[in-house]
Amino acid sequence: MREGLLGRLDDSVNPIVVKELRQAVQGKFVASVLILLLVIQLIALGLFLISGDDFSNRLTAGRDAFMILQTILLAVCLLFVPAYTGARLAFERSDANVDLLFITTIKPVAIVGGKVFSSLTITVLIFSACMPFMVFTYWLRGIDLPSIFVVLGLAFLEVAVYLHLATFVACVPSGRVLKILLAFVTLIILFWGFVGTVGTSYSLLTTGVGSRLYSWTFWGPATAVLINAAVTIGLLFFTSVAMLKPVSANRALPVRAFISAMWLGGLLFSAIVSSVERDNTALGVWGIVSAVVFSGAFFVAVSERESLGLRVTRRIPRNPGLRAIAFLFFSGGASGVAWAALMSVLTVAALSALLMTSSGMREVGGLREVRVWMIGLPLYALAYSLSALLVRRHLLRRWMGPKYTWGVGLIMLAGGCVVPFLIGYLAFFGNWSKTEEIGAWLIFNPFALGVESFKTTYLTIAGGWALIALAVNFGWLITQVKSFRPVGPRPDTAAPEIESAAV
Amino acid sequence: MRIEVRNLKKYFGKTRAVDDISFSFAAGQVVGFVGPNGAGKTTTMRVLATLEEPTEGDAMLDGVSVVEEPEQARRLVGYMPDSLPTHRDMSVSDYLDFFARAYGIRGARRRQVIDSIEEFTNLGGIREKTLHALSKGMKQRVSLARALLHDPPVLIMDEPAAGLDPRARVELRELVRALAAQGKAVLISSHILAELAEICSGAVIIEQGKLLMAGTMNELLTHSVPKRRVLIRATDRCDELLKELLQMPYVEEALQTGDEIAADINGSEEVCADVLAGLIARGFRIVEFKHQRAGLEDIFMRVTTGEVQ
């Protein structure tokens, strides 16, 4: 009975977790890092204790000691663990040396889940080893136990987010050069996250958590942080899984379905919060986050495959109504552009409808600025991504496949932001003038939408450019719309046979 | 079970690693996959193993497309690469256990499967050794064991004999024969053509990504080596026999080496029988008339040019 139960439990464990943890236990690397970390923590705490004067006069000794230990812990968990996880997965996925694990029948969701779970287990191990030292700081005064655990919990949440980010980057199908570039950008983000988390930890400890633990002033922001972290983790997880799936699979469906569900959930949640709190901040955040996500979705969409394989096409519904809905959620470049465009329009429409129907929200106001960004960002993204598509299809066709169109788009975006400004600086205004004065040189910069006197100009230019880009890519869109229909069975073509008796 | 490669193309930039290759074979066959270095053998095998996506074309394993349904195809194919990928800090037992779990083999059956595979590939004595401590031959055995864990009906073996000592090669050959006898379809690439010829029922020859020939060994011989070489030994009158042979129709060339004459006959087996009957009718006392079969090496040298991309 016991063996049967243990056997079932053993079978239910993700194979990746079993492998990764076995390697971690049997190898020297993780154990060495853990011991080194403990030694550093011990030395740091020891030095802090012997270097201090009279502890009875130092009311913040505990907090200071905790921050030293927390910085060391975060350096390991926010920089080392995600980088280690991402690098290992990227190596296993490299073009020249794909790990044979990827030709087993294990599902991509189990691979991503297993990788993240085993890394989180190592993180828990590191946190557990460090926690006694960190809790010890309570006796040095200036810090309370709830603050210690809340700050550690926040740090763990950050590690979970960055682990998913590292996994996501490792899963991006790209060549070695692009992978190294992405890894470099990710390291910058990890370092940025490290600095931000250290700052947030210090801020939390300075203001103290214990006294606010039973009030909304703590649980309000805490809930927002938890929801944001959960949505970010979910998005990175589903996208990572999608990238591990075969190209022939309907990769876009789970990602778009997840984002759509989160968009709707976010709308309902922020509308309720705004209504109860009589403050439209939550709705504004929802609108901006939605605009950013759907703007990014345009760049992803133009990098998707342009013709669908048998596997996807045979799942296209025959019913025209269902087919129209399926078109928005199935893999494909045109489908992605249509979905991102529809969701962008729905975001603006939902916000406008809420403001029109709810007198409370209308009275609070404050969403005019947000709406400019909600309209402008997707328009610029649509214009840039479709322009990149045009360039890739007509100028770079021989050298580049669809999957790198996003790169062309980002280069164009960077060029659009920097080049006109530099020309203006060198040829005309010649010094760092106020943005209100040089706004005309920022017309291709979507991040300048906040310049008050140029808002209408920017929106007009972004809209016009998006329409032109849409018109010149109309054939690309229509071809895919027309070919989005169920197909019959595969035509059978014979191959030369090698016939003989068995050996 | 049928394995069909249909108009397969795989380009890396401007390099056409595989250029419109088509062939098919069935269960129980061992098919040699032959070509010079850089011919596209490994790429084709990686496509069949779902490790690479083809630029065009497809490969079907019992009707399952490796392009459209790679997840289904992975259940049907076992892939043995030319070298075992390194896994740090893993014993042979842990390695096989991990892959058995990854293939969804559960409970007590997992132990049974691993035990039987270890016995079949003779790995029992090294199961606790770490992978990086193994010799090349042992690594190849582990690789084969891993490829067989889920009992695939198709086995793709990329240069399995490379770097093996003579004993390990003989053992590998016996393993491949045993697998074919179990009804598995085996596609095997090797540069050791003499050994390949001993176990293969057919062969596919490619060069510069293009298919040169595909068929059973007999078909390949017939097409690529139309002349038949026969070795003739008579009790006496060897010089006369040589002259007589050179005057006979269908005999293109004849050379005497010691008491043996090698004659190239351009024709079928019936023509060979006619030549023998003619010699006997002319009073020659023939004690040996043997057909010297051309090997895979002869075919390979005749059909390939040795050019690389």
Side-chain angles (χ1 to χ4, degrees), chain A residues 7-20 22-30 84 88 91-108 111 244-249 251 305 308-315 398-399 490-503, chain B residues 2 4-7 14 22-31 46 49-53 58 60 65 67-71 74-75 77 79 81 84-91 93-95 97-99 101-108 110 143 146 150 177 180-181 198-204 211 214-216 219:
Chain A
R8 277 204 294 279
L9 193 66
D10 183 36
D11 280 343
S12 65
V13 180
N14 185 320
I16 306 287
V17 176
V18 176
K19 174 188 165 250
E20 296 282 327
R22 270 182 184 163
Q23 283 186 290
V25 171
Q26 288 169 12
K28 296 182 181 74
F29 188 64
V30 173
Y84 176 72
R88 279 190 59 150
F91 183 73
E92 288 173 0
R93 293 283 301 160
S94 70
D95 288 346
N97 187 28
V98 179
D99 195 281
L100 295 175
L101 147 75
F102 293 97
I103 57 165
T104 64
T105 51
I106 195 165
K107 289 186 163 58
I111 295 175
L244 287 192
K245 285 184 175 177
V247 177
S248 58
R251 289 160 133 186
R305 59 197 298 202
L308 299 177
L310 198 67
R311 179 169 171 172
V312 177
T313 47
R314 72 181 169 208
R315 293 195 175 111
R398 285 180 63 193
W399 300 281
R490 172 196 295 274
D492 200 31
T493 52
E497 284 186 17
I498 298 168
E499 291 289 2
S500 82
V503 180
Chain B
R2 275 208 82 67
E4 286 187 78
V5 175
R6 293 176 177 175
N7 306 108
K14 287 180 180 174
S22 299
F23 63 89
S24 71
F25 61 103
Q29 281 188 280
V30 179
V31 172
R46 284 170 65 86
T50 73
L51 273 167
E52 298 267 5
E53 289 218 22
D58 204 344
M60 314 295 284
S65 159
V67 178
E68 294 293 335
E69 304 286 353
E71 298 97 333
R74 283 167 196 161
R75 293 179 197 281
V77 68
Y79 175 62
L84 184 74
T86 49
H87 281 76
R88 286 182 310 102
D89 313 314
M90 270 192 120
S91 66
S93 179
D94 284 347
Y95 182 72
D97 180 71
F98 164 62
F99 276 97
R101 285 170 189 267
Y103 277 113
I105 306 168
R106 293 178 176 271
R110 187 167 62 244
S143 191
R146 184 202 50 73
H150 58 301
R177 280 205 178 105
E198 282 187 42
I199 52 172
C200 291
S201 51
V204 176
L211 183 82
T216 62
E219 285 169 352

